[in-house]
Amino acid sequence: MFSSMIQNLLSSSGQASAMQRAVQMNNYVNNFNAQLNPVEKKQTDNQQAQVQSFDKVLRNTAGVKFGDLLAKPVTKVNANIYTAQASSASEKITSKEQIKNIIFRAAKKHGVDEKLVNALVKQESGFNPNAKSKVGAMGLMQLMPATAKGLGVTNPMDPEQNVEGGVKYLKSMLNKYNGNVILALAAYNAGPGAVDKYSGVPPYKETQNYVKSILANYL
């Protein structure tokens, strides 16, 4: 009934839990495919690509043992974070409730699942609007300076601008990979070039743990 990859999931994380995750992901990608409205390139109804099933994604990423990743989620925040002096904008928005309201508006605007954005923000910054990584990523969604500039974000430490830019970028990755959440998250972390190079989740420990952790909070 299930592929060998799914069978591994069943044995490693519990049959009920793994089955529920697989069904939830299949339902999500099928629903997203029906609602998807690409902004980067428009396709005719006959040309529009279909979202890969969760089972197929697992098979395609077998080289990096992605099935094993779902069994042991990691909740550690991705980057080494320190609290910098807050900008005037981020001083005004500090509570988790305020941040979630920002996320709700941006997710609705760009047609991205609000729960997915919340899981990504939790992983990237732990809902800390003043977060900075040692490599220069900034804010709630940890935008790199060049990425922020390309997205039209003039102040990455402004929570509203940061979330707006981050959600816009996440939506572009979802569009690029036809609504495939797993590949979009991998591209958000490692870049689309790495995902394209390996035709799936890259064999980088950081990226694998990153995708696994977000899925654990999202599903």
Side-chain angles (χ1 to χ4, degrees):
M1 179 177 179
F2 295 93
S3 68
S4 58
M5 184 67 72
I6 293 295
Q7 289 290 359
N8 287 338
L9 277 174
L10 296 179
S11 62
S12 61
S13 61
Q15 182 172 1
S17 176
M19 184 180 298
Q20 183 181 16
R21 288 183 179 184
V23 170
Q24 287 175 326
M25 181 58 76
N26 267 320
N27 288 340
Y28 175 80
V29 295
N30 287 336
N31 291 336
F32 197 98
N33 182 63
Q35 300 172 7
L36 192 61
N37 181 27
V39 296
E40 292 185 340
K41 65 175 183 178
K42 294 183 178 179
Q43 298 173 308
T44 66
D45 291 340
N46 292 332
Q47 293 173 324
Q48 188 168 5
Q50 294 298 308
V51 176
Q52 298 179 57
S53 69
F54 188 46
D55 188 15
K56 186 174 181 181
V57 172
L58 290 176
R59 290 199 303 270
N60 288 347
T61 58
V64 295
K65 298 182 179 179
F66 192 77
D68 294 340
L69 299 181
L70 294 179
K72 300 177 181 178
V74 173
T75 57
K76 182 179 179 182
V77 172
N78 177 40
N80 292 320
I81 302 297
Y82 69 89
T83 302
Q85 184 176 357
S87 66
S88 58
S90 60
E91 285 175 345
K92 298 176 183 178
I93 301 174
T94 57
S95 75
K96 192 171 181 179
E97 182 179 355
Q98 289 174 309
I99 292 169
K100 286 197 170 186
N101 286 335
I102 293 172
I103 290 171
F104 170 78
R105 293 193 297 270
K108 184 176 181 180
K109 176 181 177 181
H110 294 287
V112 179
D113 190 335
E114 175 191 2
K115 188 176 179 182
L116 177 62
V117 180
N118 273 290
L120 190 150
V121 171
K122 179 179 180 180
Q123 175 68 17
E124 288 285 2
S125 65
F127 292 96
N128 176 7
N130 304 313
K132 278 190 176 183
S133 74
K134 290 183 178 179
V135 296
M138 296 175 284
L140 291 165
M141 298 190 74
Q142 290 291 277
L143 301 179
M144 293 296 289
T147 302
K149 184 177 180 180
L151 292 166
V153 176
T154 57
N155 180 9
M157 299 307 292
D158 179 326
E160 298 225 25
Q161 286 195 46
N162 188 283
V163 172
E164 169 72 16
V167 173
K168 184 188 296 185
Y169 183 70
L170 178 60
K171 179 62 182 289
S172 73
M173 294 299 98
L174 286 165
N175 286 341
K176 176 177 174 62
Y177 296 108
N178 300 313
N180 189 309
V181 175
I182 293 173
L183 299 183
L185 290 175
Y188 193 99
N189 177 259
V195 173
D196 294 343
K197 177 180 178 180
Y198 292 100
S199 299
V201 179
Y204 311 147
K205 185 175 181 180
E206 177 188 342
T207 301
Q208 293 174 353
N209 285 339
Y210 176 89
V211 174
K212 174 177 58 173
S213 181
I214 293 177
L215 287 178
N217 288 308
Y218 172 55
L219 294 179

